[in-house]
Amino acid sequence: MSAQKSIWTPANVVTCARVVLVPLWLLVAELVGVPSDETLSWSAMGVFAFFLLISLTDKLDGYLARSRNETTTFGKFLDPIADKLAVVVSLCFLLERGVVGSWVLLVVISREFLVSGLRMVVASKGVVIAASNLGKWKTATTMTSICGLLFVCALPEESCAALTLALAFRLLLVVAMALTVWSGIDYFAKSWKYLVEED
């Protein structure tokens, strides 16, 4: 009973809610369809607002865990999964809409495969490599660029605001992908000595 109480902290409840909300968001986003080219799409704006809410819950669960001193192993396991689920699902949606290129998903998924594999190897040696600030910046810039591109989808396609913001958030996405690659290389460098040493 005590173990159950230690797992279901407010922070972990928020994280679990984020995991559930991601597929619900995708269902809503798919039902909205293609917005009008000439007018502001309030339905697409709702899709953007929904995803923004999901993004902000990442900050909320972190704040709750730290402020209440309730950091748990379950939370450490589930929080990054919730983040990755939100990023990959939203990028798939944007790819389907022709907003981002397939190379973006290639970079994100390849990095996650690399880091997950490295984590398993170093964990088998009893080592835990702490997350760096690069990972935090990578997540923040990626989520911001995705939110921005979803917002642009709600604007009239040929408007000056849409064109300007689309360029700005695509450039931010490029920065996010550079950080994604950099953080992957950084993790690989930190793991290298554990990869080459013999048991």
Side-chain angles (χ1 to χ4, degrees), residues 25 39 50 54 61 72 76 84 92 121 144 148 150 171 175 191:
W25 171 83
T39 59
F50 192 174
I54 293 172
D61 60 15
T72 64
K76 291 178 182 178
K84 292 171 180 57
C92 286
V121 171
T144 301
L150 288 171
L171 288 174
V175 173
S191 306

Side-chain angles (χ1 to χ4, degrees), residues 80-187:
I81 290 179
D83 292 341
K84 292 171 180 57
L85 183 64
V87 168
V88 172
V89 168
S90 58
L91 286 176
C92 286
F93 173 76
L94 290 171
L95 175 63
E96 184 182 24
R97 294 294 186 271
V99 178
V100 302
S102 55
W103 68 271
V104 176
L105 270 168
L106 174 63
V107 169
V108 170
I109 294 174
S110 297
R111 189 264 184 193
E112 296 310 326
F113 278 145
L114 171 68
V115 172
S116 296
L118 289 172
R119 279 186 178 137
M120 286 189 288
V121 171
V122 298
S124 69
K125 298 177 181 292
V127 177
V128 176
I129 298 178
S132 67
N133 287 330
L134 276 175
K136 295 177 182 178
W137 280 105
K138 178 261 300 181
T139 301
T141 53
T142 302
M143 295 296 273
T144 301
S145 59
I146 290 172
C147 286
L149 291 171
L150 288 171
F151 176 76
V152 170
C153 288
L155 301 177
E157 188 175 355
E158 298 301 324
S159 67
C160 181
L163 295 174
T164 303
L165 289 174
L167 176 60
F169 286 115
R170 282 193 172 101
L171 288 174
L172 184 61
L173 185 60
V174 171
V175 173
M177 293 305 99
L179 288 172
T180 299
V181 173
W182 187 7
S183 64
I185 293 173
D186 178 66
Y187 201 96

Side-chain angles (χ1 to χ4, degrees), residues 4-130:
Q4 187 176 8
K5 288 182 179 178
S6 67
I7 289 176
W8 296 112
T9 62
N12 288 345
V13 170
V14 171
T15 304
C16 289
R18 186 159 80 255
V19 171
V20 173
L21 286 174
V22 169
L24 180 59
W25 171 83
L26 181 61
L27 175 62
V28 172
E30 292 286 355
L31 289 175
V32 163
V34 180
S36 169
D37 293 341
E38 300 178 356
T39 59
L40 177 69
S41 171
W42 290 106
S43 57
M45 191 64 76
V47 170
F48 154 71
F50 192 174
F51 190 80
L52 179 62
L53 174 65
I54 293 172
S55 303
L56 292 176
T57 61
D58 180 40
K59 299 297 182 184
L60 177 59
D61 60 15
Y63 169 77
L64 288 172
R66 289 187 300 270
S67 64
R68 297 168 60 91
N69 195 26
E70 292 178 338
T71 302
T72 64
T73 302
F74 180 71
K76 291 178 182 178
F77 159 75
L78 192 62
D79 183 64
I81 290 179
D83 292 341
K84 292 171 180 57
L85 183 64
V87 168
V88 172
V89 168
S90 58
L91 286 176
C92 286
F93 173 76
L94 290 171
L95 175 63
E96 184 182 24
R97 294 294 186 271
V99 178
V100 302
S102 55
W103 68 271
V104 176
L105 270 168
L106 174 63
V107 169
V108 170
I109 294 174
S110 297
R111 189 264 184 193
E112 296 310 326
F113 278 145
L114 171 68
V115 172
S116 296
L118 289 172
R119 279 186 178 137
M120 286 189 288
V121 171
V122 298
S124 69
K125 298 177 181 292
V127 177
V128 176
I129 298 178

